[in-house]
Amino acid sequence: MEASTATKFTGKIIESSDDVTPAVLEAMAQADNPRLREIAASFVRHMHAFAREVRLTEAEYDIGIDFLNRIGKATHDSHNEGILFADAIGFSTLVCLLNNGKAGATETTAALLGPFWRANSPRTENGGSIVRSPTPGPELFVACEIVDAASKPLANVEVDVWQSSPVGLYENQDDTQTDMNLRGKFTTDAGGRFSFRSVKPAGYPVPADGPVGEMLRAQNRHPYRPAHIHFLGFKPGYKTLITQVSVDDAEHLESDVVFGVTRALVGDYRRRDHGELPAVDVRAPWYTLNYRFVMQTGEAVLPKPPIK
Ligand code: BEZ
Ligand code: FE
């Protein structure tokens, strides 16, 4: 067995505020796991430095603890306030960009997951529709390809798709939509392609009835996300691609409440008024989106679904 590199904890009576940080760091250094030691030590150093920098009062400390507790209480099977908080302070996007596109040095087609991905989306054949209950709105035809870093098409990528409706609601937020409406699971063909029929999504406010909403109001921030479609690509041997493609003329594109829009992820949602109709029951105008995703080699790990 590997010898532990953790330090031996001796402990000490706290004489003043100056003693607290080193005492905590010393106590936490007992962890066997080196990554846990590193993360916990850095977290404590930053938290203590934060309290010192803003001279945190006891009343403010109480507000912070209450805020944290209410985030936990607001989280349940169909809502994840913890992820929403990380999103609304830009933490999810920061972590995403630090872990993709060579730590931000090159462009990436990765983006934050958000709180609305559900496992077990209905398998849908290529070209099929993800409109599973009547959902009025502009018709949209999406055609995508997935390639590797050398631009070689990737076949057999499992791709989950999920989006809001043309009124800006996900099916799990809206009793008028059937279960799994506007969600689907596709498999890329030999050319790395998948395609589907849908309706153009609308932008929407993130849930603002909990502590995160309170924070946004206190900061005079609007709660809106620009319209977008989410994609999650999974293939063994490749880093799971989690992303979303925003509508190019969407409101709030430059002020996304969760900072999820990067240049590479603004899609070309093109309005079509003429030409060959994409299906017999379609009338002009309709919209198309063509998009190419890049997947990097790496570990194929699925995130934990934020909701059931
Ligand atoms: C979403 O795009 O589904 C989303 C992302 C962050 C917060 C709320 C919703
Ligand atoms: Fe979304």
Side-chain angles (χ1 to χ4, degrees), residues 34-86:
R35 183 67 176 150
L36 171 62
R37 282 204 303 276
E38 181 184 3
I39 289 175
S42 178
F43 182 75
V44 164
R45 275 197 307 271
H46 282 87
M47 282 295 283
H48 288 209
F50 149 75
R52 289 192 164 92
E53 181 182 315
V54 301
R55 293 193 189 83
L56 199 69
T57 67
E58 286 158 313
E60 289 160 347
Y61 166 93
D62 287 345
I63 291 170
I65 297 291
D66 180 57
F67 186 72
L68 202 59
N69 287 336
R70 287 189 297 121
I71 286 176
K73 285 189 188 146
T75 296
H76 47 76
D77 280 357
S78 59
H79 177 71
N80 194 317
E81 190 80 3
I83 290 190
L84 184 60
F85 176 59

Side-chain angles (χ1 to χ4, degrees), residues 12-27 44 48 52:
K12 138 182 202 338
I13 301 274
I14 304 292
E15 310 281 353
S16 76
S17 66
D18 287 346
D19 289 344
V20 180
T21 308
V24 177
L25 292 174
E26 196 193 336
V44 164
H48 288 209
R52 289 192 164 92

Side-chain angles (χ1 to χ4, degrees), residues 136-186:
E139 305 272 2
L140 173 66
F141 292 80
V142 180
C144 299
E145 72 174 318
I146 305 187
V147 297
D148 68 10
S151 299
K152 191 169 104 2
L154 286 176
N156 296 318
V157 182
E158 303 249 289
V159 187
D160 272 21
V161 171
W162 68 106
Q163 64 165 88
S164 66
S165 70
V167 299
L169 290 169
Y170 286 82
E171 49 83 32
N172 53 295
Q173 302 174 300
D174 181 4
D175 291 341
T176 71
Q177 296 181 54
T178 195
D179 189 40
M180 293 290 182
N181 191 40
L182 305 183
R183 295 178 188 265
K185 190 187 282 295
F186 299 86

Side-chain angles (χ1 to χ4, degrees), residues 5-305:
T5 49
T7 58
K8 175 122 182 47
F9 180 54
T10 47
K12 138 182 202 338
I13 301 274
I14 304 292
E15 310 281 353
S16 76
S17 66
D18 287 346
D19 289 344
V20 180
T21 308
V24 177
L25 292 174
E26 196 193 336
M28 286 188 164
Q30 298 177 99
D32 287 325
N33 181 324
R35 183 67 176 150
L36 171 62
R37 282 204 303 276
E38 181 184 3
I39 289 175
S42 178
F43 182 75
V44 164
R45 275 197 307 271
H46 282 87
M47 282 295 283
H48 288 209
F50 149 75
R52 289 192 164 92
E53 181 182 315
V54 301
R55 293 193 189 83
L56 199 69
T57 67
E58 286 158 313
E60 289 160 347
Y61 166 93
D62 287 345
I63 291 170
I65 297 291
D66 180 57
F67 186 72
L68 202 59
N69 287 336
R70 287 189 297 121
I71 286 176
K73 285 189 188 146
T75 296
H76 47 76
D77 280 357
S78 59
H79 177 71
N80 194 317
E81 190 80 3
I83 290 190
L84 184 60
F85 176 59
D87 295 342
I89 61 167
F91 199 66
S92 307
T93 290
L94 175 65
V95 172
C96 172
L97 297 184
L98 288 173
N99 283 279
N100 291 280
K102 299 203 174 78
T106 62
E107 207 165 42
T108 176
T109 54
L112 77 169
L113 177 69
F116 293 136
W117 176 57
R118 290 177 68 188
N120 304 318
S121 282
R123 286 210 166 268
T124 311
E125 61 182 345
N126 260 326
S129 177
I130 59 169
V131 182
R132 304 181 192 283
S133 60
T135 314
E139 305 272 2
L140 173 66
F141 292 80
V142 180
C144 299
E145 72 174 318
I146 305 187
V147 297
D148 68 10
S151 299
K152 191 169 104 2
L154 286 176
N156 296 318
V157 182
E158 303 249 289
V159 187
D160 272 21
V161 171
W162 68 106
Q163 64 165 88
S164 66
S165 70
V167 299
L169 290 169
Y170 286 82
E171 49 83 32
N172 53 295
Q173 302 174 300
D174 181 4
D175 291 341
T176 71
Q177 296 181 54
T178 195
D179 189 40
M180 293 290 182
N181 191 40
L182 305 183
R183 295 178 188 265
K185 190 187 282 295
F186 299 86
T187 305
T188 56
D189 65 15
R193 286 179 291 264
F194 68 98
S195 59
F196 60 94
R197 178 175 178 171
S198 187
V199 281
K200 196 166 174 245
Y204 55 85
V206 299
D209 54 353
V212 173
E214 260 171 52
M215 177 186 82
L216 295 176
R217 283 185 292 280
Q219 295 170 343
N220 291 319
R221 293 166 61 187
H222 73 69
Y224 287 92
R225 294 223 60 206
H228 56 272
I229 300 179
H230 295 264
F231 299 87
L232 186 153
F234 179 87
K235 181 178 169 77
Y238 292 84
K239 185 166 195 292
T240 302
L241 177 68
I242 297 171
T243 191
Q244 45 185 273
V245 179
S246 289
V247 175
D248 37 349
D249 65 355
E251 225 185 314
H252 308 299
L253 204 57
E254 283 161 13
S255 64
D256 179 8
V257 64
V258 298
F259 311 96
V261 182
T262 59
R263 286 249 175 262
L265 291 174
V266 179
D268 179 15
Y269 287 71
R270 202 168 289 190
R271 178 180 158 137
R272 308 282 176 174
D273 292 282
H274 317 282
E276 195 186 334
L277 294 172
V280 285
D281 57 337
V282 174
R283 259 187 258 309
W286 71 95
Y287 287 80
T288 58
L289 168 68
N290 296 309
Y291 196 86
R292 178 190 237 222
F293 298 102
V294 182
M295 284 180 79
Q296 308 288 340
T297 49
E299 212 187 337
V301 186
L302 276 181
K304 183 172 179 287

